[in-house]
Amino acid sequence: MPEFGPVTCAGCGLLCDDVTVDASSDGVRLRPECPLGARWFSEQLGRSDAAPATIDGEPADVESALARAAELLRGARRPLVHGFEGATVEDARAAVALADRLGALVFTGDGVWPGAPALALRGASTATLGEIRDRSSLVVIWREDPQSTHPRLLERLGFAGATPERALVVVDDRDTATTWRADGQHRWPRDLDLEALIGLHLWQKGVAPPAGNLATELGRLTERVASAMHVTFVYGPALNAGAGGQRRALALHELVRAMSHERHVVTLELPDAPGSRSADDVLAWQSGYSGQVDFAPGHPEWVTATEPPDDVDVTVRVESGPAGGVVTGPVWIRTAAAGVQASGTVHRLDGVPIALQAPLPGDAPTAATLLRALLAKVAP
Ligand code: SF4
């Protein structure tokens, strides 16, 4: 296969648009180098080797698979639409339209249910990657390891070479590829994060926490923040996922709001999947809420549950996992990989819309096309 590029890589939410792909018999290589992006392109290029669809694991044609999926959805009492890991804006729009017609529950993820999303409760101070690169003199990475999950983040934030006038600090009690690159590290266990965020907030108001190891670390971090006029907090699932995650996220956004009285402070969220931001934005445009929305009452209702309801009987999983596709119960239908065989739009992790190209020909439909066909069959 010839080299192609420059194209946009959707291997993580950074959506780097300067990537050249060399897919030879020795494997896939990217320029600029990125092992995560190479793995993503390798998985997407391998998609076309699979059957167009399967029903109960047996190969099937797309029309039969659509008919079976529509039959399941017509009989569903409590359908759930979820996934979106590799979905485009167009895929998410079609999925939300289907959910609206079905009276389904929509969850723009595939794992832990977040509960009451902190962003919707308090809002957030945010900035684009370019603004952070040009303005932030201190970047605090909260318990994430972007060198593994978003390998070019530090380069995109301007930390590619020596940056004597800027500092990169990590809050983490682990040693990671990112802590190795950092100018400083603050260590405390993850289960003290809420206490630490509230402690920083109190310190911001002039109330020092009681002496102890955590107080020493918080004092050092407060001093670093006090010496910078533009600060960015980078956070992600390590802060806001799991039990108490949204309470911790809320504490971070409240801290940022308090700090912003004296300096410019912003946050940058690292989503756990590249399609999550697009799906959240589409759901917000179309329903007024993001994250988890229930269309069963006949109008969109925001869901603050921390677990899926136990009466879900049919699920539609959209572009999730390495094989992607649209999965309805035992029916899987292969889709063209957005960014390789199909074009589309995806929102970068800072909310900027980015176009995905289709550098290689493909024979499969997009998830958006399949979901629209399903909608036509379910509600002609
Ligand atoms: S950092 Fe992310 S978007 Fe950029 S090349 Fe690597 S995997 Fe792709």
Side-chain angles (χ1 to χ4, degrees):
M1 185 178 298
E3 180 177 287
F4 57 90
V7 292
T8 302
C9 170
C12 76
L14 280 175
L15 301 172
C16 301
D17 59 1
D18 58 350
V19 167
T20 300
V21 183
D22 178 8
S24 68
S25 53
D26 295 337
V28 176
R29 291 180 67 89
L30 258 54
R31 279 198 321 275
E33 282 208 11
C34 176
L36 183 63
R39 192 162 72 236
W40 182 80
F41 272 103
S42 176
E43 286 169 355
Q44 307 312 310
L45 291 168
R47 267 204 206 191
S48 45
D49 299 339
T54 59
I55 302 176
D56 291 316
E58 297 297 322
D61 61 84
V62 173
E63 211 31 61
S64 309
L66 275 173
R68 177 82 179 106
E71 185 188 331
L72 287 166
L73 288 173
R74 275 194 296 268
R77 288 186 308 280
R78 190 67 167 126
L80 167 70
V81 178
H82 69 125
F84 302 102
E85 201 177 288
T88 61
V89 167
E90 293 80 1
D91 299 336
R93 269 195 187 132
V96 174
L98 177 66
D100 190 7
R101 184 57 68 93
L102 291 171
L105 190 56
V106 182
F107 168 43
T108 60
D110 216 5
V112 179
W113 284 50
L119 286 193
L121 288 171
R122 279 290 181 280
S125 168
T126 60
T128 63
L129 296 176
E131 286 171 325
I132 295 170
R133 180 198 61 215
D134 294 342
R135 299 185 74 181
S136 285
S137 48
L138 173 65
V139 173
V140 181
I141 298 184
W142 197 284
R143 219 171 282 287
E144 292 297 321
D145 179 19
Q147 286 293 87
S148 306
T149 60
H150 297 74
R152 293 178 60 194
L153 179 72
L154 299 187
E155 168 202 325
R156 302 285 297 273
L157 295 184
F159 288 98
T163 52
E165 71 289 358
R166 303 179 68 216
L168 178 72
V169 167
V170 181
V171 172
D172 207 328
D173 55 350
R174 306 166 301 164
D175 290 320
T176 66
T178 305
T179 59
W180 187 81
R181 289 278 308 271
D183 303 302
Q185 184 173 0
H186 298 274
R187 294 174 183 267
W188 58 76
R190 183 172 184 252
D191 57 10
L192 292 184
D193 271 355
L194 182 58
E195 196 179 323
L197 287 161
I198 293 171
L200 285 168
H201 198 150
L202 287 173
W203 212 310
Q204 175 69 25
K205 291 183 169 180
V207 183
N213 286 347
L214 184 57
T216 308
E217 290 293 332
L218 296 184
R220 285 175 53 222
L221 184 52
T222 301
E223 271 173 32
R224 286 187 194 274
V225 171
S227 64
M229 282 315 294
H230 298 277
V231 181
T232 298
F233 285 88
V234 178
Y235 71 102
L239 180 82
N240 62 12
Q246 290 300 307
R247 182 65 193 90
R248 291 189 291 273
L250 197 56
L252 173 65
H253 293 303
E254 284 171 342
L255 170 67
V256 166
R257 180 182 286 213
M259 287 176 165
S260 295
H261 291 298
E262 291 162 9
R263 54 187 46 77
H264 184 238
V265 188
V266 297
T267 57
L268 179 71
E269 182 177 3
L270 303 183
D272 51 2
S276 307
R277 177 71 201 242
S278 307
D280 268 335
D281 289 349
V282 168
L283 194 55
W285 298 335
Q286 295 190 210
S287 75
Y289 306 109
S290 68
Q292 306 169 107
V293 176
D294 195 356
F295 288 94
H299 60 270
E301 266 189 13
W302 191 34
V303 178
T304 56
T306 52
E307 287 183 2
D310 51 17
D311 57 348
V312 168
D313 54 353
V314 179
T315 59
V316 180
R317 194 160 154 234
V318 181
E319 294 293 7
S320 197
V326 174
V327 186
T328 312
V331 179
W332 172 79
I333 309 177
R334 175 162 64 84
T335 52
V340 178
Q341 292 122 358
S343 55
T345 309
V346 185
H347 288 185
R348 204 169 67 187
L349 51 82
D350 56 357
V352 174
I354 302 284
L356 295 181
Q357 303 83 15
L360 300 179
D363 60 348
T366 62
T369 305
L370 289 174
L371 292 163
R372 284 195 290 266
L374 263 181
L375 176 59
K377 285 184 184 299
V378 171

